[in-house]
């Protein structure tokens, strides 16, 4: 196969911007259909390389042989050269000419994320994957990786070296760094996936088409950013435990890569906190998620909302008490209470909006805060009234007594706050009824 040139303009499937408004319902890809008849592969495996003249040929030969023997669908292997300066381009071009289903793409800039973005954006395959050239991951995991995407069960799939049944051989230094990095992701970005850095991932093309424009990184953090955005948008990520053997000759610069990853974690976390990412573009049509279906007589998400509200409430109360104690050093109890309650109320509304009631994006944020301030006013009336009553009863109460009264008043306001937030500020959105299909008589 000759070297392919990358196309520009609309996606390979010719979708317009209007078609990209929503993700289509996941469907099982046909084993034999129009795509196969026109020579379009079901799977496109990208192997990003930079100065890999030694390992490239054995890697591609082994991968091509494995797919030819075990993969039941048409496939393609794309070697994405990240501006190599050795003989990697010649080796890749020779492989593309020698093996059917292998192509070579040359990029003049370095960056694994840049290579994946370029090739995935222009690929016509419905399932896109990539793996590292060292083939540290056992290839027997490749079919389990892409099978949920082909069947329509999942949106993305990742190999995990940290899953309980994974079998991994690597040094203690890399093991510690990997686990520490994933712990950072879980604590800072609330990531639910177990292994962000394993070079063994796949995604459905319609998902990649919408996710890739949102991903800013072009280096090693590309994978993590893609997964975090997908998870926050509610997409399904399938994990496959892998057998993995560390490559002692890896050229990855650990310190520099870790530094760039931490910068990426900060950037993505900040963007998510302020609602700067349009994750609503990844919404699927009604009916693909059973939680979207309208059910009569069923309170949707009440238990989860109560748990989220309680967690946010505990943190907000601690934040409020800390602020009150700080403000009390310079002003009277009423001003200290009002200032602490105002600041904590804004934070509480923002946290409940995102974490408890799952409202994403900036739409309606100002209105929600305004309604939250009304709820705040009710809480202020209860707590201020309690302080006034305490002052009238005792004259000069101790600081500990003030805190005890405020805690009691806040507990009394909590139930009312939850009811108001759920029924008025963040009411459950009604699911639109599907439009009935016209009868044949109406068509005539």
């Amino acid at each position: 196969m000759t070297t392919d040139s990358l196309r520009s303009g609309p996606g390979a499937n010719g979708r317009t911007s209007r078609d990209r408004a929503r993700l289509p319902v996941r469907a099982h890809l046909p084993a034999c259909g129009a795509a196969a008849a026109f020579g379009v592969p079901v799977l496109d495996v990208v192997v990003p390389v930079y100065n890999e003249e030694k390992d490239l040929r054995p890697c591609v030969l082994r991968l091509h042989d494995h797919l030819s023997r075990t993969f039941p669908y048409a496939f393609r292997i794309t070697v994405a050269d990240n501006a190599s300066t050795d003989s990697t381009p010649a080796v890749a071009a020779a492989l593309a000419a020698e093996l059917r289903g292998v192509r070579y793409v040359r990029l003049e800039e370095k960056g694994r994320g840049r290579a994946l973005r370029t090739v995935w954006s222009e690929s016509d395959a419905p399932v896109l994957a990539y793996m590292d050239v060292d083939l540290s991951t056992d290839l027997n995991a490749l079919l389990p990786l892409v099978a949920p995407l082909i069947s329509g069960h999942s949106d993305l799939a990742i190999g995990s070296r940290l899953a309980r049944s994974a079998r991994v051989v690597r040094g203690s230094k890399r093991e510690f760094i990997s686990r520490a990095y994933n712990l950072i992701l879980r604590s800072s970005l609330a990531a639910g996936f177990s292994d962000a850095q394993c070079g063994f991932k796949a995604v459905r093309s319609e998902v990649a088409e919408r996710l890739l424009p949102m991903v800013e990184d072009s280096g090693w953090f590309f994978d993590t950013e893609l997964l975090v955005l997908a998870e926050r948008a509610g997409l399904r990520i399938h994990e496959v435990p892998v057998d993995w053997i560390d490559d002692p000759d890896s050229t990855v610069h650990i310190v520099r890569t870790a530094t760039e990853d931490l910068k990426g974690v900060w950037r993505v976390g900040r963007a998510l906190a302020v609602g700067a990412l349009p994750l609503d573009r990844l919404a699927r049509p009604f009916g693909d998620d059973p939680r979207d279906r309208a059910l009569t007589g069923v309170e949707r998400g009440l238990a989860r909302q109560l748990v989220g509200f309680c967690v946010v409430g505990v943190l907000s109360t601690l934040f409020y008490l800390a602020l009150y104690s700080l403000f009390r050093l310079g002003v009277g109890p009423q001003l200290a209470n009002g200032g602490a309650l105002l600041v904590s109320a804004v934070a509480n509304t923002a946290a409940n909006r995102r974490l408890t009631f799952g409202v994403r994006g900036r739409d309606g944020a100002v209105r929600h805060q305004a309604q939250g301030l009304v709820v705040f006013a009710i809480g202020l009336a209860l707590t201020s009234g309690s302080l006034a009553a305490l002052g009238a009863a005792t004259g000069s109460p101790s600081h500990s007594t003030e805190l005890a009264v405020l805690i009691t008043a806040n507990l009394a306001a909590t139930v009312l706050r939850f009811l108001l937030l759920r029924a008025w500020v963040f009411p459950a959105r009604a699911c639109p009824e599907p439009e009935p299909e016209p009868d044949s008589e109406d068509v005539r």
Side-chain angles (χ1 to χ4, degrees):
M1 179 178 291
T2 59
T3 301
D4 289 354
S5 61
L6 295 177
R7 300 183 297 275
S8 61
N13 296 325
R15 298 188 183 95
T16 65
S17 59
R18 184 175 182 180
D19 296 327
R20 296 190 183 101
R22 305 185 74 186
L23 283 170
V25 176
R26 289 190 298 258
H28 195 301
L29 299 175
C32 296
F38 286 100
V40 177
V42 170
L43 173 67
D44 192 348
V45 183
V46 181
V47 182
V49 293
Y50 173 72
N51 289 347
E52 297 287 356
E53 59 183 3
K54 177 183 176 181
D55 295 333
L56 179 57
R57 182 173 180 83
C59 162
V60 173
L61 290 177
R62 180 181 164 195
L63 177 59
H64 188 274
D65 175 69
H66 178 83
L67 289 171
S68 299
R69 289 186 295 102
T70 65
F71 195 68
Y73 295 84
F75 66 87
R76 177 195 295 139
I77 300 173
T78 300
V79 179
D81 176 18
N82 290 304
S84 294
T85 57
D86 61 0
S87 61
T88 295
V91 175
L95 287 167
E98 175 184 345
L99 299 174
R100 182 179 181 182
V102 175
R103 71 165 179 164
Y104 164 56
V105 173
R106 167 77 177 184
L107 293 93
E108 299 303 329
E109 295 181 87
K110 292 177 61 177
R112 182 180 68 176
R114 178 177 289 105
L116 293 177
R117 183 199 313 276
T118 302
V119 178
W120 280 358
S121 297
E122 302 301 331
S123 179
D124 52 1
V127 177
L128 311 168
Y130 95 89
M131 62 181 58
D132 293 335
V133 69
D134 56 19
L135 294 186
S136 295
T137 304
D138 185 79
L139 291 178
N140 287 326
L142 182 55
L143 184 55
L145 181 80
V146 301
L149 309 186
I150 294 175
S151 69
H153 175 272
S154 301
D155 299 294
L156 300 91
I158 65 173
S160 176
R161 300 162 297 183
L162 303 180
R164 181 166 299 180
S165 57
R167 293 178 288 187
V168 177
V169 178
R170 61 175 167 180
S172 57
K173 180 180 179 181
R174 286 182 177 270
E175 179 76 10
F176 172 78
I177 292 175
S178 179
R179 291 189 178 276
Y181 178 64
N182 283 281
L183 180 61
I184 291 173
L185 292 181
R186 288 177 177 271
S187 59
S188 61
L189 298 180
F193 46 86
S194 65
D195 192 352
Q197 294 177 310
C198 182
F200 195 69
K201 296 182 176 70
V203 59
R204 286 177 69 102
S205 61
E206 71 269 17
V207 175
E209 185 179 12
R210 291 155 179 81
L211 268 178
L212 292 179
M214 303 182 195
V215 179
E216 293 185 18
D217 192 81
S218 59
W220 292 96
F221 187 69
F222 173 89
D223 308 48
T224 303
E225 188 170 357
L226 187 80
L227 291 173
V228 169
L229 298 184
E231 187 175 61
R232 287 300 186 94
L235 301 183
R236 177 174 287 162
I237 301 175
H238 176 73
E239 294 198 14
V240 178
V242 297
D243 298 342
W244 195 85
I245 301 177
D246 191 14
D247 178 15
D249 299 324
S250 175
T251 58
V252 177
H253 193 288
I254 296 178
V255 176
R256 182 171 63 245
T257 301
T259 302
E260 294 301 319
D261 285 347
L262 292 177
K263 291 180 180 178
V265 169
W266 167 256
R267 174 176 54 79
V268 172
R270 183 176 56 184
L272 291 171
V274 300
L277 295 168
L279 298 179
D280 55 327
R281 293 181 187 173
L282 300 173
R284 289 191 178 275
F286 173 82
D288 187 56
D289 189 333
R291 295 171 299 180
D292 292 337
R293 298 170 188 166
L295 301 176
T296 59
V298 177
E299 290 287 342
R300 295 180 55 197
L302 178 59
R304 183 191 62 79
Q305 289 177 355
L306 279 172
V307 172
F309 180 79
C310 289
V311 172
V312 172
V314 170
L315 296 177
S316 297
T317 300
L318 294 176
F319 182 49
Y320 159 77
L321 293 175
L323 287 176
Y324 177 82
S325 298
L326 179 64
F327 294 162
R328 190 66 176 85
L329 297 176
V331 298
Q334 293 291 358
L335 286 178
N337 174 62
L341 199 57
L342 176 61
V343 175
S344 61
V346 173
N348 181 278
T349 300
N352 275 310
R353 181 178 189 269
R354 175 64 184 88
L355 301 177
T356 303
F357 299 99
V359 180
R360 301 183 176 92
R362 297 180 177 179
D363 292 344
V366 176
R367 175 174 57 82
H368 292 154
Q369 283 293 349
Q371 292 172 311
L373 288 178
V374 175
V375 179
F376 151 76
I378 297 174
L380 178 62
L382 287 173
T383 54
S384 297
S386 300
L387 282 176
L390 178 64
T394 61
S396 181
S398 65
H399 181 66
S400 59
T401 303
E402 287 181 354
L403 290 180
V405 170
L406 287 174
I407 291 174
T408 303
N410 272 290
L411 288 176
T414 296
V415 175
L416 181 59
R417 184 183 303 123
F418 176 75
L419 294 176
L420 287 173
L421 289 176
R422 191 168 192 266
W424 179 48
V425 183
F426 307 109
R429 294 184 293 269
C431 297
E433 294 292 336
E435 296 182 2
E437 296 183 0
D439 297 333
S440 58
E441 295 181 359
D442 295 334
V443 174
R444 291 195 299 269

